[in-house]
Amino acid sequence: MKKILSLITVLFVSNLVFAQSAKFIDETLKAETVTIGQMCYMAALTQELIPVTASETEAYNALFENAETVSSKIEKPANYATACSILAKAWNVKGGLFFTLSKKSPRYAFKQFKSDGIIHSNIDPNTFPTGQQVLTMYTNCEERYGTKTDNQADQFQGENE
């Protein structure tokens, strides 16, 4: 059952992340822990800040220029709280009061993702997700918050009303 779920997740994510190379997805799926650089790469591609051929360093720098990155080394493993924070910024997630006031801090991003059902409620924020778990989070974010073009269309319609 786990293999079937993994296969479905991989196929779904590879269709959603149309610009990402198969090599990156394979590396991420096989990873026992995901690095800050890999998280930044996924976030920067989601926001269309970098081309597919960019490196993790270029992705980190692109997010840093937009003030959307964590102050950590790119080769350092990302825990759940950090991964949630990076993905929350990538999708420009709207959340509760403390989430908004803290500028999507890892603590409140983690809590927001738990309440939105992106991650399970029994996960510890300091544990390190595997590559498969991160891609599942990515897929859940895509389903819950939509694509970047969906968000832009919603903003455009709101301005016209």
Side-chain angles (χ1 to χ4, degrees):
M1 181 68 180
K2 190 173 183 180
K3 289 182 182 180
I4 293 172
L5 182 60
S6 298
L7 180 62
I8 291 171
T9 302
V10 170
L11 291 174
F12 189 72
V13 169
S14 62
N15 284 332
L16 291 176
V17 188
F18 61 94
Q20 288 186 357
S21 68
K23 181 182 175 187
F24 175 78
I25 292 176
D26 287 342
E27 289 174 3
T28 305
L29 273 175
K30 292 176 186 174
E32 289 185 29
T33 59
V34 177
T35 65
I36 299 286
Q38 289 171 313
M39 292 301 305
C40 289
Y41 183 80
M42 290 191 320
L45 276 178
T46 300
Q47 296 178 59
E48 300 173 358
L49 297 175
I50 59 168
V52 179
T53 56
S55 68
E56 292 176 7
T57 304
E58 292 170 322
Y60 181 87
N61 291 336
L63 291 177
F64 184 77
E65 290 172 7
N66 287 337
E68 295 183 13
T69 191
V70 294
S71 58
S72 189
K73 296 184 179 188
I74 63 171
E75 61 274 348
K76 186 177 173 185
N79 61 21
Y80 267 101
T82 303
C84 291
S85 177
I86 292 171
L87 290 177
K89 291 173 184 175
W91 266 278
N92 197 20
V93 174
K94 308 291 184 229
L97 178 64
F98 289 113
F99 179 70
T100 305
L101 290 176
S102 70
K103 298 180 183 170
K104 300 175 184 160
S105 74
R107 173 186 175 149
Y108 291 110
F110 178 79
K111 288 183 175 197
Q112 185 66 42
F113 274 31
K114 281 173 72 172
S115 68
D116 286 348
I118 302 297
I119 56 176
H120 294 287
S121 61
N122 61 350
I123 293 176
D124 179 17
N126 295 316
T127 58
F128 299 100
T130 65
Q132 180 182 0
Q133 291 166 329
V134 166
L135 288 176
T136 300
M137 285 173 54
Y138 185 94
T139 304
N140 291 343
C141 286
E142 186 71 37
E143 289 174 358
R144 172 79 179 182
Y145 308 120
T147 61
K148 183 176 175 31
T149 54
D150 289 344
N151 293 335
Q152 289 172 340
D154 291 343
Q155 290 173 351
F156 182 72
Q157 284 180 348
E159 292 172 2
N160 289 335
E161 292 177 355

